[in-house]
Amino acid sequence: MKNISVIIFVLVTIPFGIVMADLRVGFYNSTCPNAESIVRQVVQNRFKTDPSITAALLRMHFHDCFVRGCDASILIDSTKSKSSEKDAGPNLTVRGYELIDEAKKNVEAACPSTVSCADIITIATRDSVALAGGPNYIIPTGRRDGLVSSKSEVNLPGPSFSVPQALQSFSAKGLTLNDMVTLLGAHTVGVAHCNFFQARLSKPDPTMDSTLVATLSKVLLNKGVLNIDQQLALDKSSAPLVSNFARNGAAFQQSFADAMVKMGSIQVVVGTEGEIRQNCRVFNQLQQKNARAFGIF
């Protein structure tokens, strides 16, 4: 089966400002004033040839923030002795790491050891959303990078979840039903891998349009097919929100911007905690240890 591709994200730009505890808008104004523009340039260059990068970054950001908070722990590579979050099942199809690497390299050249990988993910995701036609929201920065990344800690809400099951996961992170419905609206952009919905075809889901089932069984087209997306429109708790967003694009735009900023503040590492990684894929201590082993330090 081929993957399903959807690259339409029908939103308009609505800038707004916000300041959150321990994070602030313009955090790098004095220490690295060009940080956000450097990241934006990398995202713009990639988007020109691969518009689906928006979906990739949204997914990366979501998967990072839902495990240990928004601390870039998803970027760490596994070692021979330790499997990182990257090796967990839900993260095997996460992509876009090379974009973060490029942005980090360019930022490091301008401002060494100043801008966190966690902030780069957040900034890059925001910029990719705007390029795809979404809201150009303002985000506070000041996140630091975490010091732990473990495959065993990855426990993410899946596409086969019911609305109550998904809400339990979102609520545990301080997000509301409205936040959940809004954030899952990002499924209108990107790709859906066959294994996430194949069961709905082999044993047809009665809630799924029969014509869509027949079509997807032959060739996958630009349709939303994840079970959780269907359930959001059917469950009595979420259906009114879905209907309202369908009627009121402006409400969805504002809600999406607010929810993205809120998600980006989940369990952030700030102040003197954590570190500012020099290489997003490696903890500084391990990087320095490897460098000493090769006589670099």
Side-chain angles (χ1 to χ4, degrees):
M1 279 185 162
K2 296 179 181 179
N3 286 335
I4 217 178
S5 296
V6 183
I7 57 174
I8 300 174
F9 202 76
V10 186
L11 296 172
V12 298
T13 301
I14 297 183
F16 69 103
I18 187 168
V19 176
M20 306 185 73
D22 300 321
L23 300 176
R24 70 174 184 272
V25 173
F27 182 85
Y28 298 109
N29 283 353
S30 60
T31 57
C32 192
N34 294 324
E36 295 198 22
S37 62
I38 291 172
V39 175
R40 184 179 303 112
Q41 185 62 58
V42 172
V43 176
Q44 288 174 337
N45 290 341
R46 176 64 177 274
F47 188 84
K48 290 176 183 177
T49 58
D50 179 18
S52 71
I53 193 62
T54 298
L57 291 174
L58 279 165
R59 190 159 183 254
M60 178 193 291
H61 191 28
F62 172 78
H63 283 218
D64 182 45
C65 291
F66 264 60
V67 181
R68 302 191 68 85
C70 308
D71 66 347
S73 52
I74 194 172
L75 301 181
I76 293 295
D77 286 339
S78 295
T79 64
K80 292 181 180 179
S81 60
K82 180 71 172 178
S83 292
S84 68
E85 292 176 23
K86 279 186 180 178
D87 280 347
N91 290 335
L92 295 179
T93 51
V94 172
R95 62 188 180 88
Y97 297 118
E98 71 289 341
L99 182 149
I100 302 300
D101 290 338
E102 182 180 353
K104 178 61 173 176
K105 179 182 178 181
N106 293 351
V107 170
E108 281 292 302
C111 317
S113 301
T114 302
V115 181
S116 71
C117 300
D119 274 341
I120 290 175
I121 294 177
T122 308
I123 294 167
T125 302
R126 184 272 312 277
D127 292 343
S128 72
V129 165
L131 287 169
N136 188 13
Y137 53 91
I138 295 173
I139 53 170
T141 47
R143 298 163 189 77
R144 287 171 65 85
D145 300 321
L147 300 174
V148 176
S149 181
S150 175
K151 175 182 176 180
S152 64
E153 293 188 8
V154 178
N155 182 22
L156 296 162
S160 63
F161 273 29
S162 66
V163 172
Q165 287 175 322
L167 182 58
Q168 185 175 8
S169 295
F170 278 76
S171 296
K173 300 301 178 182
L175 299 173
T176 65
L177 176 64
N178 188 84
D179 295 327
M180 182 183 80
V181 172
T182 304
L183 291 169
L184 290 178
H187 284 165
T188 57
V189 58
V191 299
H193 295 274
C194 294
N195 61 299
F196 290 141
F197 59 84
Q198 195 162 16
R200 300 186 74 199
L201 305 181
S202 58
K203 185 178 180 182
D205 184 336
T207 66
M208 195 175 192
D209 180 80
S210 58
T211 302
L212 179 60
V213 172
T215 302
L216 290 174
S217 296
K218 299 176 182 178
V219 180
L220 300 183
L221 297 178
N222 296 341
K223 304 284 186 179
V225 293
L226 299 183
N227 180 66
I228 183 59
D229 294 338
Q230 182 71 45
Q231 294 307 311
L232 287 175
L234 297 175
D235 190 278
K236 63 181 181 181
S237 67
S238 56
L241 292 170
V242 174
S243 296
N244 178 56
F245 287 150
R247 291 191 306 266
N248 190 340
F252 178 72
Q253 295 156 15
Q254 187 63 66
S255 185
F256 187 81
D258 291 344
M260 286 298 292
V261 173
K262 189 173 181 181
M263 184 182 76
S265 69
I266 295 175
Q267 296 172 271
V268 291
V269 181
V270 295
T272 58
E273 298 178 349
E275 65 182 9
I276 303 296
R277 281 183 222 142
Q278 297 169 336
N279 177 343
C280 289
R281 294 173 179 261
V282 185
F283 297 120
N284 286 346
Q285 184 177 11
L286 181 59
Q287 184 177 11
Q288 292 166 3
K289 179 180 179 181
N290 291 340
R292 285 194 295 271
F294 286 97
I296 298 175
F297 289 162

